[in-house]
Amino acid sequence: MRLSRRRFLLLSAVAAVSCTGGQLMHSERLVMQPMDSSFRLHFNMRNGVLASLKRADDVFATDFLFGHGLGRVEMRLRAAGEPWTQANTAESNDVRVVEVDDPTQPREVFVSYIRDSEEAKGIRRVSLRERFSLEGESLNWEIDVANRTDQPLEIGDLGLPMLFNTSYVRDSLTTYQERVIRHSYVAGHGSFITILRPNGIGPFLVIAPHPDTKLEFFTRQPGIDAWEGVYTAYIHSHATGGEETRGTWRQPHTSVTLGPAGSAADSVHYAFRLQWAADYDAVRNILYDENLLDIHVVPGMTVPTDLTVRLALRTRQPITGIEVEYPQATVVESISKGSLPDTQVYTLRFTRLGENRVTIAFGEGLTHYLEFFVTEPLETLVKKRAAFIAAKQQIRDRAKWYDGLFSLWDMREQVLRSPENTGGLHPYMVGGSDDPTLCKATYIAAKNVHFPEQSEIDAVEYYLERFVWGGLQRTDGESPHPYGIYGSDNWYSNRNSPVGLNSGGNGQERMWRTFDYTHIILLYFSMYRIAAQYPSLVRYMDRQGYLERAFGTARAFFTVPYNILMGSSWDFRGWCDWAYKQGNFHELILPSLIDALDREGRPDEAKWLRAEWEKKVKYFVYDHDYPFGSEMFFDTTAFESTHMIASYGRENQLEPDANLWQDKNSGVWYSHPEIHEQDFVEFMEKQIAANIAARGWLETNYYQLGSDIRQHGNSNYQLSYMTQMGGWAVLDYALHYSRDPAVYARLGYASYLASWALINSGPPDANYGYWFPGSANDGAAGWAFEPGKYVTPWSGIAQGRGIWPYDGEIDNGFLGALRTAATVVVTDPIFGLFAYGADLTRDGSALRITPKDGLRQRLHLLDGTPHLHIALNRDGFSSTNAIFFQRDPLRLQFDLENRTPGHAHRLNLEVEGPPAGGYAVRVDGEIRAEVTHLDRAVEIEVGPEPVYSVTLERVP
């Protein structure tokens, strides 16, 4: 409801409680909590802002606001020929009037600025009026601005500074139950903001603009007590956005001109409605009910050129047009009415690499922007990235202590940084002893498990021989702490430090950071897999040697840090127990390592490692309320690990215990007298809810959909490594545990795809990449994505909107992507039968599926019951000949590509889900295996041919 000038003045005359010119007449804090409303509000009568917002029946009593909360308005104004002048409510204390409708049972608060302020940045020449009103289950926030002069005035900025309760603390109960995460979606008309707790438990607070109110820009002011600082959303941004000529922005920076006072166009009106939502579907229903857009998209907003997008738009308003940025390189087709009311489904196909904007016109002159990012095919990205690191990011100089190091590539300067040429980067980033560099060789090795290349394997072995063993990592003969790994800034300075052992974790004792170990465990284990599958391609060690190194490093992971007492120079003090109490990336490989040790005849080592791993599993499920933080106490790193812990507990029988282990810091003994599978089911649901809470799901642009969200909300550091690592957990949950797999598959697969937008790659006719063109950068990658127009991220190096020019930790994300890559066929309630990562056609009652998922080794068929899961330990489904799948009677026929042509070998075909009965496996028509139950790996002999045909079918 628009607040008329007449009604406002009448209310001003009769209000019983008022704050004028900073002089408080009654209480400074006004409590608004009518019994028929679920909102419980505290309004700051002195400052004219909503300072506290809670839900009445909230079990956690979370305050969604912090500090000044909501209600500030910042403007920049000018008349013709004038410079911009600021006009801010926070600096107009001398003219602010705050009134309420009924001081005994207030439901409406009115804040007005109708006189010229004497303050330097105060409001002058316009009147500004805000109204906060409780109506049923909604809180309305209205803003009216009117010209008080006799000449036109242009509003170049109209920004809304907001401060939410993101002041995270080390206490996990406080952080996950009493703090919030901000999700903002700035996309023109239909923008919205959703605020929810890090534990993912409702209610969610939804701030939805009226259809004629849009958001087009944002800025963030760091340094405020709440971690993310002040987030300012702009209705108009022509002044601020236009003056910032550095960087780019993909939406128009608009202004609005007010006619002279008394004219028909002398004022503007904007409005937002705040409502509670129980869950994500309820948020979508609010958007629909508010005449905005509820949008679904598969397989994601980052999309390769060889995959088709399906887009569903649900709205009460008519869709009047869809405009694409590159009409000659984009095909849009409306294919159906969706299964939901007022839903239209479209297909889109993109061929132009890089950012592709799709503009939705709806209603009466309303515009909504969708941002896609188009990449080369996934398999091209997987291979290019490994080839680029091996060829361009390794230092080979036997005169250097860092010979063999894989360091960071600078796309701006097209140069490899090093400990002696940091380019302004912090030394830990290029020293070889921390995540930014440790993940390079680990990615190459993991990729070569699937696509072996001799030169890349050689590069990894050079790194292990020259940089890791006896340098970065202590050998098995060094005492104390064999297999220990030196931390940042670099191993060389720590090994040669005059500060020795028992020094509080300094100098030669700086081996306590558990995250360093898990990189190397995974690296050795991947090399073990390569040596086992392709023994002729390794030279440094054989499979038993690599398995020994993997186990030795895993043992050190649990023993070395926990025997180092951290001193006063560190934020964490005491015995470093992170191996047991924090989620470390890549530690999800430990159950596979345990299985390999058993398989290779090393039962004692398997038993020891299993016992340590299960200590952690039980601690996470039984001894910690919210074990979702990691090295930072509000973090997203742990969600890959927590999902594996939940899955391990569901798939393995853990035994009760008494005094299992004693905490060296607290002295507490951990005991678990009862172990129930349901405990792991509940933990899985709890951790997946927290994972998704810190992940973009409703925000349909390529740098938010699926991206992890950290302490700065989604205004900073998007598409980081946990986008794909935690995305693995979401997709695995969809594939194996969820009762609604189609819904979670949407988010899981979007997460898998999202961070591939950070790869700079392209063919020659696209100048080898979108972000940093030129052949020298073809295959390079960015550390993360900055959504702000021009910012200084935590790297300390200023940049415009786009990817970081250095790769850093992102290869951890690509490692998560390798774990995730799969073709998934599912019947979606909105899109119908759909194949993620593949082309799909019907062949009568059967399906033909052509995988394009990046690896072509995993196939999940969720289109009926039972669900079927097929995985190859090597080789891959053909990229050209489709998989034939018939459900009844069960028959799978496919061509496989031999990834080491000319070599005969054994193939493990893992099949999960088919009903019991007799099955035959044929290779090129010849029966190679007959089994009575398929829920296990079937080993078959394969010849040296480059392509061979496999048939799996039910037999009488």
PDB file of all heavy atoms in Angstrom, residues 552-569:
ATOM      1  N   GLY A 552      51.500 -44.556   5.545  1.00  0.00           N
ATOM      2  CA  GLY A 552      52.393 -43.840   6.448  1.00  0.00           C
ATOM      3  C   GLY A 552      51.964 -42.400   6.662  1.00  0.00           C
ATOM      4  O   GLY A 552      52.029 -41.873   7.786  1.00  0.00           O
ATOM      5  N   THR A 553      51.519 -41.757   5.610  1.00  0.00           N
ATOM      6  CA  THR A 553      51.059 -40.375   5.731  1.00  0.00           C
ATOM      7  C   THR A 553      49.755 -40.313   6.504  1.00  0.00           C
ATOM      8  O   THR A 553      49.531 -39.381   7.293  1.00  0.00           O
ATOM      9  CB  THR A 553      50.903 -39.742   4.341  1.00  0.00           C
ATOM     10  OG1 THR A 553      52.100 -39.942   3.587  1.00  0.00           O
ATOM     11  CG2 THR A 553      50.630 -38.251   4.452  1.00  0.00           C
ATOM     12  N   ALA A 554      48.861 -41.291   6.292  1.00  0.00           N
ATOM     13  CA  ALA A 554      47.610 -41.333   7.052  1.00  0.00           C
ATOM     14  C   ALA A 554      47.879 -41.551   8.531  1.00  0.00           C
ATOM     15  O   ALA A 554      47.223 -40.952   9.399  1.00  0.00           O
ATOM     16  CB  ALA A 554      46.703 -42.435   6.502  1.00  0.00           C
ATOM     17  N   ARG A 555      48.829 -42.406   8.843  1.00  0.00           N
ATOM     18  CA  ARG A 555      49.194 -42.616  10.252  1.00  0.00           C
ATOM     19  C   ARG A 555      49.746 -41.329  10.849  1.00  0.00           C
ATOM     20  O   ARG A 555      49.404 -40.956  11.990  1.00  0.00           O
ATOM     21  CB  ARG A 555      50.207 -43.750  10.362  1.00  0.00           C
ATOM     22  CG  ARG A 555      50.633 -44.058  11.800  1.00  0.00           C
ATOM     23  CD  ARG A 555      51.437 -45.352  11.866  1.00  0.00           C
ATOM     24  NE  ARG A 555      52.524 -45.359  10.895  1.00  0.00           N
ATOM     25  CZ  ARG A 555      53.189 -46.455  10.529  1.00  0.00           C
ATOM     26  NH1 ARG A 555      52.853 -47.631  11.045  1.00  0.00           N
ATOM     27  NH2 ARG A 555      54.169 -46.380   9.635  1.00  0.00           N
ATOM     28  N   ALA A 556      50.571 -40.634  10.100  1.00  0.00           N
ATOM     29  CA  ALA A 556      51.110 -39.365  10.585  1.00  0.00           C
ATOM     30  C   ALA A 556      50.015 -38.317  10.758  1.00  0.00           C
ATOM     31  O   ALA A 556      50.081 -37.485  11.672  1.00  0.00           O
ATOM     32  CB  ALA A 556      52.182 -38.860   9.614  1.00  0.00           C
ATOM     33  N   PHE A 557      49.024 -38.345   9.905  1.00  0.00           N
ATOM     34  CA  PHE A 557      47.875 -37.429  10.009  1.00  0.00           C
ATOM     35  C   PHE A 557      47.245 -37.518  11.393  1.00  0.00           C
ATOM     36  O   PHE A 557      46.916 -36.497  12.010  1.00  0.00           O
ATOM     37  CB  PHE A 557      46.881 -37.786   8.913  1.00  0.00           C
ATOM     38  CG  PHE A 557      45.523 -37.151   9.019  1.00  0.00           C
ATOM     39  CD1 PHE A 557      45.357 -35.788   8.881  1.00  0.00           C
ATOM     40  CD2 PHE A 557      44.395 -37.938   9.235  1.00  0.00           C
ATOM     41  CE1 PHE A 557      44.092 -35.202   8.953  1.00  0.00           C
ATOM     42  CE2 PHE A 557      43.133 -37.375   9.309  1.00  0.00           C
ATOM     43  CZ  PHE A 557      42.978 -36.001   9.174  1.00  0.00           C
ATOM     44  N   PHE A 558      47.097 -38.731  11.902  1.00  0.00           N
ATOM     45  CA  PHE A 558      46.467 -38.898  13.204  1.00  0.00           C
ATOM     46  C   PHE A 558      47.444 -38.772  14.371  1.00  0.00           C
ATOM     47  O   PHE A 558      47.033 -38.483  15.501  1.00  0.00           O
ATOM     48  CB  PHE A 558      45.789 -40.269  13.283  1.00  0.00           C
ATOM     49  CG  PHE A 558      44.494 -40.350  12.526  1.00  0.00           C
ATOM     50  CD1 PHE A 558      44.412 -41.102  11.358  1.00  0.00           C
ATOM     51  CD2 PHE A 558      43.367 -39.677  12.962  1.00  0.00           C
ATOM     52  CE1 PHE A 558      43.210 -41.183  10.651  1.00  0.00           C
ATOM     53  CE2 PHE A 558      42.169 -39.755  12.271  1.00  0.00           C
ATOM     54  CZ  PHE A 558      42.081 -40.502  11.103  1.00  0.00           C
ATOM     55  N   THR A 559      48.731 -38.980  14.140  1.00  0.00           N
ATOM     56  CA  THR A 559      49.672 -39.028  15.263  1.00  0.00           C
ATOM     57  C   THR A 559      50.568 -37.803  15.397  1.00  0.00           C
ATOM     58  O   THR A 559      50.839 -37.359  16.517  1.00  0.00           O
ATOM     59  CB  THR A 559      50.563 -40.283  15.153  1.00  0.00           C
ATOM     60  OG1 THR A 559      51.274 -40.260  13.902  1.00  0.00           O
ATOM     61  CG2 THR A 559      49.727 -41.549  15.244  1.00  0.00           C
ATOM     62  N   VAL A 560      51.043 -37.239  14.298  1.00  0.00           N
ATOM     63  CA  VAL A 560      52.007 -36.149  14.417  1.00  0.00           C
ATOM     64  C   VAL A 560      51.372 -34.873  14.971  1.00  0.00           C
ATOM     65  O   VAL A 560      51.829 -34.354  15.999  1.00  0.00           O
ATOM     66  CB  VAL A 560      52.719 -35.895  13.068  1.00  0.00           C
ATOM     67  CG1 VAL A 560      53.588 -34.637  13.158  1.00  0.00           C
ATOM     68  CG2 VAL A 560      53.570 -37.098  12.683  1.00  0.00           C
ATOM     69  N   PRO A 561      50.330 -34.319  14.353  1.00  0.00           N
ATOM     70  CA  PRO A 561      49.767 -33.088  14.912  1.00  0.00           C
ATOM     71  C   PRO A 561      49.288 -33.246  16.356  1.00  0.00           C
ATOM     72  O   PRO A 561      49.438 -32.323  17.170  1.00  0.00           O
ATOM     73  CB  PRO A 561      48.608 -32.784  13.963  1.00  0.00           C
ATOM     74  CG  PRO A 561      48.983 -33.441  12.676  1.00  0.00           C
ATOM     75  CD  PRO A 561      49.677 -34.694  13.090  1.00  0.00           C
ATOM     76  N   TYR A 562      48.725 -34.409  16.685  1.00  0.00           N
ATOM     77  CA  TYR A 562      48.170 -34.600  18.029  1.00  0.00           C
ATOM     78  C   TYR A 562      49.267 -34.758  19.082  1.00  0.00           C
ATOM     79  O   TYR A 562      48.981 -34.814  20.275  1.00  0.00           O
ATOM     80  CB  TYR A 562      47.249 -35.814  18.033  1.00  0.00           C
ATOM     81  CG  TYR A 562      46.183 -35.777  19.126  1.00  0.00           C
ATOM     82  CD1 TYR A 562      45.703 -34.571  19.635  1.00  0.00           C
ATOM     83  CD2 TYR A 562      45.665 -36.959  19.639  1.00  0.00           C
ATOM     84  CE1 TYR A 562      44.735 -34.535  20.621  1.00  0.00           C
ATOM     85  CE2 TYR A 562      44.682 -36.949  20.626  1.00  0.00           C
ATOM     86  CZ  TYR A 562      44.217 -35.728  21.116  1.00  0.00           C
ATOM     87  OH  TYR A 562      43.249 -35.695  22.095  1.00  0.00           O
ATOM     88  N   ASN A 563      50.509 -34.801  18.649  1.00  0.00           N
ATOM     89  CA  ASN A 563      51.626 -34.840  19.588  1.00  0.00           C
ATOM     90  C   ASN A 563      52.456 -33.561  19.541  1.00  0.00           C
ATOM     91  O   ASN A 563      53.618 -33.556  19.984  1.00  0.00           O
ATOM     92  CB  ASN A 563      52.503 -36.062  19.300  1.00  0.00           C
ATOM     93  CG  ASN A 563      51.875 -37.342  19.833  1.00  0.00           C
ATOM     94  OD1 ASN A 563      51.822 -37.548  21.041  1.00  0.00           O
ATOM     95  ND2 ASN A 563      51.376 -38.177  18.947  1.00  0.00           N
ATOM     96  N   ILE A 564      51.844 -32.511  18.994  1.00  0.00           N
ATOM     97  CA  ILE A 564      52.479 -31.194  18.990  1.00  0.00           C
ATOM     98  C   ILE A 564      51.613 -30.248  19.815  1.00  0.00           C
ATOM     99  O   ILE A 564      50.421 -30.087  19.542  1.00  0.00           O
ATOM    100  CB  ILE A 564      52.667 -30.669  17.556  1.00  0.00           C
ATOM    101  CG1 ILE A 564      53.678 -31.557  16.812  1.00  0.00           C
ATOM    102  CG2 ILE A 564      53.110 -29.213  17.562  1.00  0.00           C
ATOM    103  CD1 ILE A 564      53.872 -31.183  15.354  1.00  0.00           C
ATOM    104  N   LEU A 565      52.204 -29.636  20.817  1.00  0.00           N
ATOM    105  CA  LEU A 565      51.494 -28.731  21.716  1.00  0.00           C
ATOM    106  C   LEU A 565      51.610 -27.314  21.193  1.00  0.00           C
ATOM    107  O   LEU A 565      52.694 -26.732  21.183  1.00  0.00           O
ATOM    108  CB  LEU A 565      52.073 -28.829  23.127  1.00  0.00           C
ATOM    109  CG  LEU A 565      51.357 -28.035  24.221  1.00  0.00           C
ATOM    110  CD1 LEU A 565      49.939 -28.566  24.432  1.00  0.00           C
ATOM    111  CD2 LEU A 565      52.149 -28.106  25.533  1.00  0.00           C
ATOM    112  N   MET A 566      50.489 -26.771  20.732  1.00  0.00           N
ATOM    113  CA  MET A 566      50.479 -25.433  20.153  1.00  0.00           C
ATOM    114  C   MET A 566      50.644 -24.379  21.243  1.00  0.00           C
ATOM    115  O   MET A 566      49.979 -24.423  22.283  1.00  0.00           O
ATOM    116  CB  MET A 566      49.169 -25.203  19.407  1.00  0.00           C
ATOM    117  CG  MET A 566      48.854 -26.260  18.372  1.00  0.00           C
ATOM    118  SD  MET A 566      49.875 -26.097  16.920  1.00  0.00           S
ATOM    119  CE  MET A 566      49.128 -24.654  16.191  1.00  0.00           C
ATOM    120  N   GLY A 567      51.513 -23.396  20.965  1.00  0.00           N
ATOM    121  CA  GLY A 567      51.818 -22.383  21.961  1.00  0.00           C
ATOM    122  C   GLY A 567      51.039 -21.097  21.787  1.00  0.00           C
ATOM    123  O   GLY A 567      50.100 -21.004  20.995  1.00  0.00           O
ATOM    124  N   SER A 568      51.480 -20.078  22.492  1.00  0.00           N
ATOM    125  CA  SER A 568      50.739 -18.814  22.568  1.00  0.00           C
ATOM    126  C   SER A 568      50.765 -18.014  21.275  1.00  0.00           C
ATOM    127  O   SER A 568      49.999 -17.058  21.127  1.00  0.00           O
ATOM    128  CB  SER A 568      51.310 -17.958  23.699  1.00  0.00           C
ATOM    129  OG  SER A 568      52.691 -17.676  23.472  1.00  0.00           O
ATOM    130  N   SER A 569      51.620 -18.378  20.328  1.00  0.00           N
ATOM    131  CA  SER A 569      51.688 -17.614  19.073  1.00  0.00           C
ATOM    132  C   SER A 569      50.550 -17.964  18.116  1.00  0.00           C
ATOM    133  O   SER A 569      50.420 -17.332  17.064  1.00  0.00           O
ATOM    134  CB  SER A 569      53.030 -17.861  18.381  1.00  0.00           C
ATOM    135  OG  SER A 569      53.204 -19.242  18.090  1.00  0.00           O
TER     136      SER A 569
END
